[in-house]
Amino acid sequence: MKAIVVDIGGTNLRVALFEQEQGQPGQLKQVKREKVCSFAVSQVKGQALYRAFLSQLEACLHPYLSQYPDCPLAIAFPGPVSPSGVVSCAPTLWGEELRQVDFLDDCKNLFRRHVVLMNDISAAVWRYADHGSHENTSGNDFCLFTISSGVGNKVFSGGKVLLNDQGQGGELGHCQLAFDEYALRCDCGGYGHLGALASGRGIEQLGRHMASKAPAQFSSSALARLCGGDIDRIDTRKLVSALHQGDEFCHQVLSRSQHYLVQAMSHLYHSIGIKRFIFIGGFCCAVGLVYLESLKRVVRQFSWLGLGGEDIESMCRLGASDDDHSLLGLGYYLSGGRQHG
Ligand SMILES: [Zn+2]
């Protein structure tokens, strides 16, 4: 099975050929990456930006479309996509001006073949989903979290990604979980949101906040040595480095951030029974097993009605540490499954 797969990000546009032999894991070939024509780099806005973006997509895809005239095309997009393929907004790509764009229809007219369009985190879910799981096999249900510059999530349940008829769902990153002095500012303008406390950027500002509250503890930390004692120089790179050195102060920052994350997980479990959680994304990959072990400790501190020790121990796992989730997920979605494990 072959498919042309596209991952549109806020920074990069990636295209690849997905190929899967019967019973084998899928592979990405002829991978191409270029800077995407976004509001951040383009001179134009609104409809002119959209036209420039479509031209880039067309030029980038042209060699693949002519080499593989019969392959389906699947596109992952960094914003909500309705079932009919309308993008309600895409602030990271198009800024605030473009809304309610009939992107799927435009792609079909432009490329004249079968096109699948879905949100990028929904696409990533299909990398980890067991195809053929239906409504009665809740053992395959899970929630995928991305922990990178923001926090994103999608729930896979009953054989599908749970979304409403506008394509919305999976915005736990903007759910308010802190109401006290830890209600730090979120990128969306709100306060105390999960993304403001548990994303890479969130942990960075949480680190600064905790350092200013406990200056003595901060000043004796490995993080302070990396920052020359300057709280304003705390960034995710130094946090990751100090965490790998076993720095106690940074462990407390990480643990507090994960406390909010586990609150969100607990709500998902107690509301709809999700008890498997997969974590991907730049920050979480960079901290790796240190992230996972710390998360497991926090999970054990919570109560989980009806779950035994084994369920709790196997609740969280890290996904692959590459950047191919959406591209592979789109391929698996089209091919009908991973056909392994
Ligand atoms: Zn927010």
Side-chain angles (χ1 to χ4, degrees):
M1 191 274 171
K2 286 192 179 81
I4 301 164
V5 288
V6 182
D7 183 18
I8 300 168
T11 312
N12 292 309
L13 170 63
R14 291 203 305 155
V15 182
L17 181 74
F18 173 87
E19 212 169 343
Q20 188 180 25
E21 303 286 339
Q22 192 73 32
Q24 298 294 317
Q27 290 186 312
L28 297 174
K29 297 180 174 170
Q30 299 175 241
V31 182
K32 180 158 76 177
R33 175 195 292 259
E34 55 185 70
K35 284 266 170 276
V36 73
C37 172
S38 72
F39 81 106
V41 296
S42 171
Q43 306 291 323
V44 290
K45 288 182 179 175
Q47 284 302 321
L49 171 64
Y50 183 53
R51 282 195 298 276
F53 164 77
L54 284 180
S55 301
Q56 180 192 27
L57 193 58
E58 197 176 9
C60 188
L61 279 173
H62 179 72
Y64 296 85
L65 296 169
S66 40
Q67 192 181 351
Y68 303 102
D70 302 320
C71 282
L73 171 64
I75 302 175
F77 188 84
V81 179
S82 80
S84 62
V86 175
V87 170
S88 50
C89 62
T92 57
L93 183 65
W94 294 335
E96 297 299 331
E97 280 191 36
L98 283 164
R99 286 178 183 271
Q100 301 301 325
V101 176
D102 205 345
F103 184 45
L104 178 60
D105 218 39
D106 291 340
C107 287
K108 284 178 177 169
N109 289 330
L110 206 55
F111 304 124
R112 306 221 161 265
R113 71 176 65 197
H114 179 62
V115 184
V116 167
L117 173 66
M118 67 173 87
N119 166 266
D120 53 0
I121 305 176
S122 294
V125 162
W126 289 100
R127 182 176 189 181
Y128 299 98
D130 284 324
H131 288 244
S133 60
H134 0 113
E135 284 133 55
N136 299 330
T137 54
S138 64
N140 293 319
D141 296 354
F142 65 92
C143 175
L144 180 74
F145 273 104
T146 63
I147 310 289
S148 51
S149 52
V151 171
N153 80 289
K154 285 284 183 281
V155 173
F156 180 82
S157 177
K160 58 179 196 252
V161 179
L162 295 188
L163 301 169
N164 73 7
D165 58 3
Q166 305 295 306
Q168 292 159 329
E171 297 295 347
L172 277 171
H174 299 289
C175 179
Q176 184 170 2
L177 293 169
F179 298 86
D180 53 10
E181 58 174 310
Y182 289 96
L184 305 177
R185 192 167 198 278
C186 181
D187 285 345
C188 73
Y191 288 87
H193 296 184
L194 179 60
L197 297 156
S199 68
R201 270 209 289 267
I203 293 172
E204 184 181 302
Q205 68 171 349
L206 184 62
R208 279 192 215 109
H209 182 74
M210 289 174 70
S212 64
K213 267 175 58 84
Q217 208 198 344
F218 169 66
S219 62
S220 62
S221 70
L223 182 63
R225 282 197 294 283
L226 291 169
C227 299
D230 183 354
I231 287 174
D232 291 335
R233 287 180 58 205
I234 294 176
D235 61 23
T236 45
R237 200 177 50 80
K238 296 189 187 81
L239 271 161
V240 170
S241 172
L243 279 165
H244 283 299
Q245 292 175 37
D247 183 41
E248 177 54 30
F249 174 77
C250 287
H251 272 281
Q252 286 177 20
V253 175
L254 180 64
S255 175
R256 177 168 274 277
S257 89
Q258 290 176 330
H259 217 269
Y260 297 107
L261 186 61
V262 179
Q263 278 184 46
M265 291 161 55
S266 170
H267 293 162
L268 277 174
Y269 168 67
H270 291 99
S271 57
I272 54 172
I274 299 297
K275 56 180 181 180
R276 288 171 58 213
F277 298 87
I278 301 172
F279 296 84
I280 59 171
F283 182 81
C284 154
C285 284
V287 185
L289 284 177
V290 171
Y291 188 91
L292 184 65
E293 289 309 316
S294 171
L295 183 61
K296 285 183 167 180
R297 276 194 294 275
V298 179
V299 163
R300 282 183 221 117
Q301 292 165 11
F302 278 63
S303 70
W304 304 89
L305 186 71
L307 287 189
E310 221 167 277
D311 292 322
I312 291 169
E313 278 308 301
S314 58
M315 185 176 279
C316 305
R317 76 170 174 100
L318 299 178
S321 59
D322 58 36
D323 195 21
D324 296 335
H325 305 286
S326 298
L327 292 174
L328 283 171
L330 289 170
Y332 287 129
Y333 176 80
L334 286 172
S335 75
R338 292 175 294 154
Q339 302 175 0
H340 62 96

